[in-house]
Amino acid sequence: IEADVYGFFDADLSFSLKALWPTVEALQNHDAVIAKRSDQSTEYSRVRNLASGCMRFLARRLTGVRATSPQSGWKFLTRQAAKKVLPQLTQTRFAFDLELLLLLQADKARIYELPLSFTHHAKSSVKTRDGIRYLTDLLAISDSLPFNHARFVWMLAAGSLILSFVLYGWVI
């Protein structure tokens, strides 16, 4: 399919479709536009907010992704950027958009983070097992990148500890 703009967003419309116009406008001067959550969801439980924060922290530390909200479900690319990076994608599961951002970064693409309000829908299909799948995908991506092995071991230990706290509670 030939188009000037390619993109995707969460099916539950956690970002309003009203953001399409500002997104298209921003693509006039940028290669990619992604959502930057302009507010922390107060509708999430503390555990969900903690888990989300930990996943963002691990994604940034293990891969070097610079986006504030790398897992936000709102990403759009120009035709030129899409043709360069989409054929290089290897991830097909939960972290494909993280890999997309890393490929854009490596290509020196101009990425704009558009501040958008986020709406949590109670019937979200995201479950704890999805976080675990994302973590395994994150590790697969980070394994393919050049990095400091000592940092990786430390981050893996910290991530495992945080994940066990989230899944099983604060057991001492």
Side-chain angles (χ1 to χ4, degrees):
I1 298 174
E2 287 293 320
D4 292 334
V5 173
Y6 295 89
F8 60 91
F9 49 87
D10 287 344
D12 67 356
L13 297 177
S14 52
F15 297 104
S16 171
L17 290 178
K18 292 178 184 176
L20 278 173
W21 292 120
T23 298
V24 171
E25 287 176 6
L27 284 169
Q28 301 303 313
N29 300 311
H30 298 87
D31 302 307
V33 175
I34 66 170
K36 175 182 178 182
R37 289 186 182 182
S38 61
D39 52 358
Q40 183 73 4
S41 178
T42 56
E43 300 169 30
Y44 282 159
S45 69
R46 287 184 187 172
V47 172
R48 175 73 187 266
N49 277 329
L50 175 66
S52 295
C54 290
M55 291 299 188
R56 283 191 306 274
F57 174 81
L58 286 172
R60 282 194 217 111
R61 295 302 181 261
L62 289 175
T63 67
V65 69
R66 292 187 293 268
T68 306
S69 305
Q71 281 302 109
S72 70
W74 185 273
K75 293 181 179 69
F76 289 81
L77 311 157
T78 63
R79 176 188 318 174
Q80 296 82 359
K83 285 188 175 193
K84 284 182 185 177
V85 299
L86 291 180
Q88 299 176 55
L89 282 173
T90 60
Q91 290 293 314
T92 58
R93 296 184 341 157
F94 288 92
F96 83 93
D97 51 345
L98 175 63
E99 184 183 26
L100 174 67
L101 288 173
L102 291 168
L103 291 168
L104 287 165
Q105 277 181 208
D107 194 49
K108 308 281 191 255
R110 297 165 298 158
I111 303 170
Y112 179 68
E113 293 187 76
L114 181 66
L116 295 176
S117 292
F118 174 80
T119 303
H120 171 67
H121 297 286
K123 296 192 180 203
S124 173
S125 62
V126 176
K127 306 289 182 227
T128 302
R129 70 177 177 272
D130 299 328
I132 294 168
R133 288 178 181 155
Y134 173 72
L135 185 59
T136 60
D137 292 348
L138 173 62
L139 293 173
I141 290 171
S142 68
D143 190 44
S144 68
L145 300 171
F147 63 94
N148 180 324
H149 289 285
R151 181 180 73 168
F152 172 74
V153 170
W154 183 88
M155 295 304 294
L156 182 60
S160 298
L161 182 64
I162 291 167
L163 185 61
S164 67
F165 285 155
V166 169
L167 293 175
Y168 305 111
W170 297 93
V171 179
I172 298 178

